[in-house]
């Protein structure tokens, strides 16, 4: 999942539990015997709850207890709700989760495997036309280059960290740097020779090939990141162990449902906090102080 510029701006704003929008529920302090699930605000709150009905129904069936969905006005609302004990479980993006661990007692425990991807991770890539002669990161010096968006995980943050690790500073060592705004636009920028090289997520590269935006016979993958973990589902660390075990089991038993913008899900698989250390390491390379992004 891409963490957008808007997400980072929202993370930098004031945390507000009052932004939490429940559907037909009593105040959190009056809740009992209910599992409250915080959802990423990717769309209108009512529409988001409607799009999450299959997930919530499956959890309620597997747990044998009432499950209540909550949508906050922004990521901060979800994180603050976890911190304040108003929500037991939530779905967060990779960077918002790592930020959240600096503020709230939360822990990743599972992640969704979509039918489309068939896995719980993805990669960032840098591509160039074979005829450009670019075969390694060192060959990028002096060339024109395209990132996706300043806050894109796979379109900017991870590849920029990869370049820096190899001693290449895009601001100093590239001839010109563009931000095109989308992965597809990057594929076209390379194919149409607007730039010499560009970043793109592997799954979006595959989709661009399928859409014939780019000819794989003419393209060289110059660099590929390690696995980038997909968005985690998290719980409050201070939940009773018995409830955690039940919640984990309930998620892991879910199969073949449709969930919001994730589309068709195959299943959920276990994960843990350490799986997101790669996000923390990337933040360090880029000098992003997550603790100050509150």
């Amino acid at each position: 999942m891409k963490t957008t510029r808007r997400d980072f701006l929202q993370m930098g704003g004031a945390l507000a539990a009052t932004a939490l929008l429940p559907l037909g529920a009593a105040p959190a302090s009056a809740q009992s015997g209910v599992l409250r699930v915080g959802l990423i605000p990717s769309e209108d709150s009512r529409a988001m709850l409607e799009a999450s009905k299959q997930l919530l129904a499956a959890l309620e069936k597997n747990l044998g207890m009432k499950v209540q969905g909550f949508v906050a006005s922004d990521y901060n609302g979800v994180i603050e709700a976890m911190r304040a004990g108003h929500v037991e479980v939530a779905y967060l993006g990779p960077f918002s989760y790592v930020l959240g661990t600096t503020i709230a007692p939360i822990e990743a425990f599972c992640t969704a495997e979509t039918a489309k991807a068939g896995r719980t991770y993805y990669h960032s890539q840098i591509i160039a036309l074979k005829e450009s002669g670019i075969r390694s990161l060192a060959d990028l010096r002096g060339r024109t280059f395209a990132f996706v968006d300043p806050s894109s995980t796979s379109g900017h943050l991870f590849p920029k960290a990869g370049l820096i690790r190899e001693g290449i500073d895009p601001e100093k060592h590239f001839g010109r740097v563009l931000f095109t705004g989308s992965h597809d636009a990057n594929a076209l920028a390379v194919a149409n020779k607007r730039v010499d090289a560009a970043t793109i997520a592997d799954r979006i590269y595959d989709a661009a090939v399928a859409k014939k935006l780019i000819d794989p016979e003419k393209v060289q993958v110059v660099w590929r990141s390690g696995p980038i973990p997909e968005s985690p589902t998290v719980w409050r660390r201070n939940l009773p162990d018995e409830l955690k075990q039940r919640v984990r089991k309930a998620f892991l038993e879910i199969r073949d449902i449709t969930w919001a913008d994730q589309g068709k899900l195959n299943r959920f698989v276990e994960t843990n906090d350490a799986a997101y250390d790669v996000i923390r390491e990337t933040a360090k390379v880029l000098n992003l102080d997550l603790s100050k992004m509150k």
Side-chain angles (χ1 to χ4, degrees):
M1 177 175 182
K2 174 182 166 181
T3 304
T4 66
R5 182 188 288 109
R6 176 175 172 271
D7 297 336
F8 276 103
L9 290 174
Q10 288 174 334
M11 289 175 193
L15 293 170
T18 55
L20 201 64
L21 299 174
L23 176 63
S29 59
Q31 296 280 357
S32 62
V34 176
L35 185 80
R36 295 158 298 187
V37 180
L39 301 168
I40 284 181
S42 60
E43 53 186 310
D44 172 80
S45 61
R46 299 279 170 171
M48 187 65 184
L49 287 163
E50 180 66 26
S52 299
K53 282 177 66 174
Q54 287 189 32
L55 171 69
L56 300 176
L59 285 175
E60 189 164 295
K61 178 181 178 182
N62 293 349
L63 278 168
M65 66 185 291
K66 178 69 176 176
V67 174
Q68 175 68 59
F70 290 84
V71 182
S73 63
D74 57 30
Y75 281 109
N76 290 328
V78 175
I79 294 170
E80 174 61 15
M82 295 289 282
R83 187 195 67 77
H86 296 312
V87 169
E88 286 75 43
V89 173
Y91 174 67
L92 296 171
F95 267 94
S96 60
Y97 165 65
V98 171
L99 169 67
T101 62
T102 71
I103 304 169
I106 62 176
E107 179 181 39
F109 70 94
C110 75
T111 188
E113 177 189 293
T114 65
K116 185 175 181 179
R119 59 189 185 187
T120 59
Y121 62 88
Y122 61 107
H123 299 271
S124 172
Q125 296 182 157
I126 294 174
I127 60 172
L129 291 178
K130 291 179 179 177
E131 67 180 52
S132 70
I134 297 172
R135 298 290 182 271
S136 68
L137 294 183
D139 296 330
L140 292 171
R141 291 175 181 267
R143 303 297 192 112
T144 55
F145 194 89
F147 289 111
V148 172
D149 180 275
S151 298
S152 170
T153 299
S154 58
H156 181 231
L157 300 175
F158 266 74
K160 184 176 181 180
L163 289 163
I164 291 172
R165 286 188 179 102
E166 294 297 318
I168 299 172
D169 183 341
E171 295 180 6
K172 296 178 181 178
H173 298 140
F174 290 167
R176 180 167 57 102
V177 175
L178 304 176
F179 286 91
T180 67
S182 77
H183 291 262
D184 278 355
N186 272 13
L188 288 170
V190 169
N192 297 330
K193 303 181 182 180
R194 276 190 64 209
V195 295
D196 295 314
T199 61
I200 189 167
D202 59 351
R203 59 192 179 191
I204 302 178
Y205 173 81
D206 292 341
V209 169
K211 290 185 287 188
K212 298 184 178 180
L213 297 180
I214 196 164
D215 183 351
E217 296 299 318
K218 297 180 179 179
V219 174
Q220 174 82 23
V221 175
V222 177
W223 174 87
R224 183 179 172 90
S225 75
I228 302 171
E230 289 283 9
S231 300
T233 301
V234 311
W235 55 32
R236 296 204 319 268
R237 290 200 307 267
N238 58 359
L239 292 181
D241 287 341
E242 184 272 339
L243 179 57
K244 286 182 181 178
Q245 291 172 12
R246 289 176 60 196
V247 168
R248 178 191 284 112
K249 184 173 184 290
F251 271 94
L252 297 182
E253 288 177 347
I254 292 174
R255 294 289 187 277
D256 304 322
I257 65 167
T258 299
W259 182 20
D261 60 359
Q262 293 252 28
K264 182 72 176 296
L265 299 188
N266 288 338
R267 58 177 182 156
F268 284 87
V269 300
E270 289 192 67
T271 191
N272 55 43
D273 181 76
Y276 295 86
D277 284 347
V278 65
I279 305 294
R280 297 180 176 97
E281 292 162 6
T282 299
K284 288 179 182 178
V285 171
L286 298 173
N287 292 318
L288 295 177
D289 187 345
L290 292 168
S291 68
K292 293 182 179 178
M293 295 173 65
K294 304 173 187 178

